Amino acid sequence: MKILGIDTTGQTASAALVEDDKLIAEFTLNYKLTHSQTIMPMIADIIERTETDKATIDCIACASGPGSFTGLRIGAATAKGFALALDKPLVAVPTLDALAYNVFETNKFICPIMDARRNQVYAAFYMWENGKLIRLTDHMAESIDRVIEIAEMLENEVIFLGDGVPVHRAKLEQNENLLFAPAHCNMQRASSVAALGRILAEEGMAKPGDEFELIYLRKSQAEREREERLAKEEQGQ
């Protein structure tokens, strides 16, 4: 199965082409350019350099959140466009699941964290069991203090990764059981989205492009600011 993977849910933009257990190409950029500037050229470059006939792509796998609201929508629009144009199925891969999938077959717990601002992170806890990645908690939007509290309750080593790590590293470093993934696997990778997407597709989770759904764990900043403004206006009346 040949899968095109896409992830624009965080600071990193990534695209990859995976066929069965072979990574054919991957393009990942963690820089100041916007995802709207980078993701389509990345995909076009991968397809051109690998001489891939787009018709041979069997499935599109797209990170579905949580994450940046703008990034989520850019990735979703890109993935839907390819799926509908090529008449191929689209599988939604939770971003945190794909991040955790970067760390393979460890006896430690895994906790990807994505910066959600206001001292909050998007997070979930995972472990490997009999060759399968198991999610132990729901996807959550919590304070970093609450996430650390949960990690300490596990009474075991926990590997942290994601763009929330540099933001909250000082707090995490206070517990020697909280470890950090190295640079090559600590950020979003579309190859992980594609690899996990293949498993989900084989489980029947792939759907038509127009049925793709995103994971939102909280309201957007614009919605929150609007509600705060309206609340202040009501108080002033």
Side-chain angles (χ1 to χ4, degrees), residues 7-143:
D7 193 334
T8 60
T9 56
Q11 297 175 3
T12 301
S14 185
L17 189 63
V18 174
E19 185 170 13
D20 298 327
D21 291 325
K22 179 183 178 182
L23 173 59
I24 299 174
E26 184 172 32
F27 197 153
T28 299
L29 186 65
N30 183 15
Y31 195 56
K32 60 186 178 182
L33 296 176
T34 65
H35 296 331
S36 60
Q37 293 175 293
T38 58
I39 193 63
M40 283 301 295
M42 284 181 179
I43 295 172
D45 201 28
I46 285 174
I47 290 173
E48 179 182 353
R49 290 177 181 274
T50 61
E51 300 179 336
T52 297
D53 180 351
K54 291 189 289 292
T56 65
I57 296 173
D58 298 298
C59 182
I60 315 297
C62 182
S64 58
S68 156
F69 283 78
T70 301
L72 283 169
R73 289 163 182 161
I74 290 171
T78 303
K80 284 182 178 181
F82 271 95
L84 294 172
L86 301 177
D87 193 23
K88 302 294 183 179
L90 174 57
V91 60
V93 181
T95 303
L96 293 168
D97 294 11
L99 260 171
Y101 205 65
N102 287 354
V103 183
F104 183 68
E105 280 287 12
T106 176
N107 59 2
K108 300 174 177 60
F109 292 101
I110 305 167
C111 182
I113 56 173
M114 299 174 65
D115 182 27
R117 300 184 180 180
R118 299 191 174 193
N119 203 43
Q120 285 195 323
V121 293
Y122 300 123
F125 286 83
Y126 302 79
M127 67 178 295
W128 282 93
E129 188 174 276
N130 298 322
K132 185 174 182 179
L133 184 67
I134 307 296
R135 178 155 46 85
L136 304 174
T137 66
D138 291 334
H139 300 125
M140 63 182 101
E142 286 283 0
S143 69

Side-chain angles (χ1 to χ4, degrees), residues 166-178:
V167 178
H168 302 289
R169 191 178 187 108
K171 283 189 175 182
L172 294 166
E173 285 179 331
Q174 293 176 19
N175 187 321
E176 61 182 12
N177 279 337
L178 307 186

